[in-house]
Amino acid sequence: MIECKNIRKTYVNGDVETQAVSDVSFHIDKGEFVAIIGPSGSGKSTLMHILGALDTPTSGTYFLDGQEVSTLDDDELSDLRRNKIGFVFQSFNLLPRTTVLRNVMLPLLYSDTTEKEREEKARKSLEYAGMEEGKFLNLSNQLSGGQMQRVAIARSLINDPAIILADEPTGNLDTKTSAVVMETFRELNRKGHTIILITHEMEVAQFADRVITIRDGVIEKDVKNTH
Ligand SMILES: Nc1ncnc2c1ncn2[C@@H]1O[C@H](COP(=O)(O)OP(=O)(O)OP(=O)(O)O)[C@@H](O)[C@H]1O
Ligand SMILES: [Mg+2]
């Protein structure tokens, strides 16, 4: 499903060149649950942006479902992101003073759907992500961290994406809440979604079936977890 070959990403700022990702190759099958772990600055987010078609590599090739992503134009890229990928971020990125339901409906705002259809999909998505119905009309800033993250997960699921990319989804959560959110990801994985999750904590990575360790922009280890 995902095939990276010799991916490199170099950032140039004036005279300073940063090799954020150097010569990374791997593949991820449909239905896998993979954690990418590594210290700060090791290139995790850079790689995630490439996998999510939010950024392009400086060199190397990236195939998603057999399609070479670098050959797509902007419209094709945004279609691909909308149809295949759900993003979850560390900081949740929810609109404050906006209800849970509206936050989840947001990605569908410019799609060809009625308000009623959008609300229906958002409700399903929230249930799917394990959010209690009694909170659907709460404002998003009236929730606990774990609940906010479940709303962000529900929003990422609104288009039923095959792949969920999560960048430090438990970074702002305490240990207990992290475990609850990670169980939500495990459940989504059981339902068939491919999950790629970035973390710098080994306890979080243990929830995945496979752990790729990245250091200084290169893959240091790629191992299967036994649960
Ligand atoms: N837009 C940019 N311009 C220049 N350098 C960048 C840019 N984005 C990232 N970098 C550099 O690339 C390297 C990798 O950054 P990246 O954000 O991928 O790390 P990370 O593993 O996600 O770290 P963290 O755990 O702190 O989020 C770092 O040295 C960073 O400073
Ligand atoms: Mg990062």
Side-chain angles (χ1 to χ4, degrees):
M1 164 168 248
I2 280 177
E3 176 89 57
C4 288
K5 282 192 190 144
N6 310 106
I7 296 282
R8 259 173 219 282
K9 180 74 187 185
T10 312
Y11 291 111
V12 184
N13 278 333
D15 291 343
V16 187
E17 255 194 28
T18 309
Q19 185 87 265
V21 174
S22 348
D23 203 20
V24 160
S25 302
F26 60 88
H27 87 261
I28 294 176
D29 287 329
K30 190 170 166 9
E32 278 199 83
F33 184 175
V34 182
I36 298 177
I37 189 167
S40 181
S42 57
K44 305 181 298 294
S45 295
T46 304
L47 188 60
M48 176 71 87
H49 290 147
I50 293 170
L51 295 179
L54 293 165
D55 201 357
T56 49
T58 311
S59 64
T61 46
Y62 168 34
F63 290 91
L64 180 58
D65 274 346
Q67 242 182 345
E68 192 181 342
V69 175
S70 62
T71 62
L72 305 178
D73 64 28
D74 285 352
D75 286 345
E76 291 169 323
L77 285 174
S78 59
D79 279 350
L80 177 131
R81 283 193 296 266
R82 196 175 39 243
N83 297 326
K84 294 201 172 153
I85 304 168
F87 294 96
V88 180
F89 300 97
Q90 172 175 6
S91 52
F92 321 132
N93 289 354
L94 300 177
L95 291 183
R97 297 184 297 279
T98 304
T99 65
V100 161
L101 209 50
R102 293 217 157 264
N103 265 285
V104 178
M105 288 161 69
L106 206 67
L108 296 178
L109 199 58
Y110 300 104
S111 70
D112 191 17
T113 49
T114 64
E115 172 89 9
K116 196 160 168 274
E117 286 165 345
R118 287 197 286 277
E119 181 172 331
E120 212 138 277
K121 279 193 169 187
R123 285 183 177 278
K124 279 211 185 99
S125 201
L126 280 160
E127 275 162 34
Y128 200 77
M131 187 69 187
E132 46 198 295
E133 200 180 346
K135 301 278 182 190
F136 286 9
L137 296 175
N138 273 47
L139 301 183
S140 72
N141 49 337
Q142 300 169 331
L143 301 173
S144 72
Q147 289 166 341
M148 285 184 199
Q149 196 53 295
R150 258 170 282 159
V151 176
I153 293 170
R155 185 185 50 192
S156 80
L157 292 170
I158 192 91
N159 282 320
D160 192 25
I163 306 171
I164 300 169
L165 297 177
D167 194 348
E168 298 272 5
T170 61
N172 279 318
L173 306 176
D174 60 71
T175 313
K176 206 171 129 222
T177 315
S178 287
V180 174
V181 167
M182 289 308 295
E183 279 303 337
T184 309
F185 281 113
R186 282 208 64 79
E187 183 59 31
L188 293 173
N189 178 243
R190 274 193 285 272
K191 288 176 175 160
H193 299 273
T194 303
I195 299 188
I196 306 172
L197 180 147
I198 287 181
T199 181
H200 57 260
E201 292 171 84
M202 205 54 210
E203 301 84 62
V204 171
Q206 290 311 323
F207 283 86
D209 297 321
R210 173 179 167 196
V211 182
I212 297 177
T213 308
I214 169 167
R215 187 177 295 274
D216 297 330
V218 296
I219 293 181
E220 193 180 61
K221 263 195 300 188
D222 186 343
V223 295
K224 291 249 182 301
N225 263 345
T226 45
H227 289 289

